[in-house]
């Protein structure tokens, strides 16, 4: 009987560039399973440990650490080699003092940066959906796949600062003029700047924003940006 779970491996030549793996050393590499983040914008746990953070040297060592529950993502132990780790996720490794957050940087869409221990319970999440459910309550969906029911006044495109893993909203930032945003994709990934102007989408063009980056105005689609604060980012993202 065939498997219905899909392939657990990927040809190295087809892996996203931001994984930073060697493409000629072997033929295959562990792949991402469907989860909280899209496949093309996330890193599997095993690859993060071995190839990105270089905390282990082999896949066998990565398996041992992951299966023993030594890896926490957003405060929750993850025991899958294929768990998708993506934008703004925090990673904590048992036995080390280092803690990481994955952010866009220097044109790459995901780069781990070291963060202070006081920030491991905080995460920025972009509001991707807002629906009214039974009883007139509001359900909010975020970019990392999580959903919560809340009375907080937010709209699609806004950003919430969450306390994790409790999923408590600590603060919200509106997607509006002068708010600070980070570019999450493309050649300018990682740049941070204030919104100068918001241009509504048309039938042929998506919603766009004008940003001031190093005193230079650029125009990019709104869907590849994320609000991170008003005057400065709410948490460490550099």
């Amino acid at each position: 009987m065939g498997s219905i779970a899909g392939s657990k491996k990927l040809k190295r030549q087809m892996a996203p560039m931001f994984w930073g793996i060697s493409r000629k050393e072997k033929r295959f590499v562990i792949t991402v399973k469907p989860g909280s983040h899209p496949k093309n914008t996330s890193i599997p746990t095993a690859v993060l440990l071995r190839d990105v953070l270089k905390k282990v040297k082999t896949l066998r060592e990565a398996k041992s650490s992951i299966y023993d529950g030594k890896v926490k993502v957003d405060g929750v132990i993850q025991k899958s080699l294929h768990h998708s780790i993506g934008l703004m996720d925090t990673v904590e490794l048992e036995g080390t003092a280092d803690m990481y957050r994955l952010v866009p940087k220097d044109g790459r869409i995901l780069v781990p940066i070291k963060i202070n221990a006081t920030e491991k319970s905080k995460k920025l999440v972009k509001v991707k959906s807002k629906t009214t459910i039974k009883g007139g309550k509001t359900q909010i969906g975020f970019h990392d796949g999580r959903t919560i029911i809340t009375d907080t006044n937010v709209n699609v495109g806004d950003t919430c600062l969450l306390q994790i893993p409790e999923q408590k909203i600590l603060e919200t930032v509106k997607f509006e003029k002068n708010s600070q945003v980070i570019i999450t994709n493309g050649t300018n990934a990682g740049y941070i700047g204030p919104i100068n102007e918001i241009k509504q989408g048309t039938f042929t063009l998506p919603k766009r924003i004008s940003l001031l980056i190093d005193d230079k105005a650029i125009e990019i689609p709104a869907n590849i940006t994320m609000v991170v604060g008003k005057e400065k980012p709410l948490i460490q993202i550099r």
Side-chain angles (χ1 to χ4, degrees):
M1 182 176 178
S3 171
I4 62 173
S7 177
K8 295 182 179 180
K9 58 187 179 180
L10 175 72
K11 286 186 177 180
R12 285 175 173 259
Q13 295 291 341
M14 303 298 292
M17 292 297 295
F18 64 86
W19 286 13
I21 62 174
S22 170
R23 294 175 182 271
K24 295 184 178 181
E25 182 179 335
K26 294 181 180 179
R27 187 178 183 185
F28 294 102
V29 67
I30 288 285
T31 190
V32 173
K33 283 295 186 180
S36 53
H37 295 277
K39 188 174 183 178
N40 61 344
T41 57
S42 59
I43 304 174
T45 314
V47 172
L48 181 72
L49 284 185
R50 184 188 63 186
D51 301 292
V52 181
L53 297 178
K54 302 187 185 301
K55 294 296 184 181
V56 297
K57 293 183 178 180
T58 65
L59 182 59
R60 177 175 291 184
E61 291 178 357
K63 286 181 178 179
S64 177
S65 298
I66 294 168
Y67 292 158
D68 286 346
K70 295 182 178 180
V71 180
K72 284 185 177 181
V73 180
D74 289 346
V76 178
I77 294 175
Q78 298 293 343
K79 293 188 176 182
S80 171
L81 304 178
H82 311 275
H83 179 75
S84 58
I85 302 176
L87 180 65
M88 296 298 169
D89 283 357
T90 59
V91 179
E92 182 179 356
L93 308 178
E94 183 181 311
T96 71
D98 296 336
M99 298 175 189
Y100 302 89
R101 175 174 291 122
L102 271 72
V103 299
K105 184 179 179 181
D106 299 332
R108 298 174 61 188
I109 66 173
L110 286 180
V111 176
I113 61 168
K114 290 184 180 181
I115 60 173
N116 297 325
T118 55
E119 291 212 348
K120 70 177 184 179
S121 62
K122 297 178 181 179
K123 180 181 182 181
L124 291 174
V125 286
K126 183 177 179 178
V127 178
K128 300 290 286 186
S129 65
K130 179 180 179 181
T131 56
T132 301
I133 60 176
K134 187 176 180 180
K137 297 181 179 179
T138 301
Q139 178 173 285
I140 306 298
F142 299 114
H143 81 273
D144 62 352
R146 71 181 75 219
T147 60
I148 63 172
I149 298 173
T150 179
D151 294 327
T152 305
N153 181 25
V154 294
N155 296 311
V156 173
D158 294 346
T159 292
C160 296
L161 177 63
L162 287 188
Q163 179 175 311
I164 51 176
E166 297 85 358
Q167 296 196 159
K168 178 183 177 182
I169 296 178
L170 301 175
E171 195 171 341
T172 61
V173 187
K174 294 292 185 181
F175 181 80
E176 60 187 9
K177 185 175 180 179
N178 296 325
S179 290
Q180 297 284 325
V181 300
I182 187 170
I183 301 174
T184 59
N185 212 330
T187 57
N188 291 312
Y191 283 97
I192 301 173
I195 297 177
N196 187 45
E197 183 182 2
I198 299 176
K199 299 181 180 180
Q200 298 303 319
T202 65
F203 183 75
T204 56
L205 289 175
K207 186 176 183 178
R208 306 169 320 283
I209 61 174
S210 174
L211 286 183
L212 290 176
I213 304 292
D214 297 330
D215 296 327
K216 180 182 178 182
I218 63 172
E219 187 175 299
I220 57 175
N223 62 356
I224 62 168
T225 65
M226 179 180 187
V227 183
V228 293
K230 289 299 293 181
E231 297 180 355
K232 63 180 182 178
L234 296 177
I235 57 175
Q236 183 183 349
I237 55 174
R238 282 186 171 178

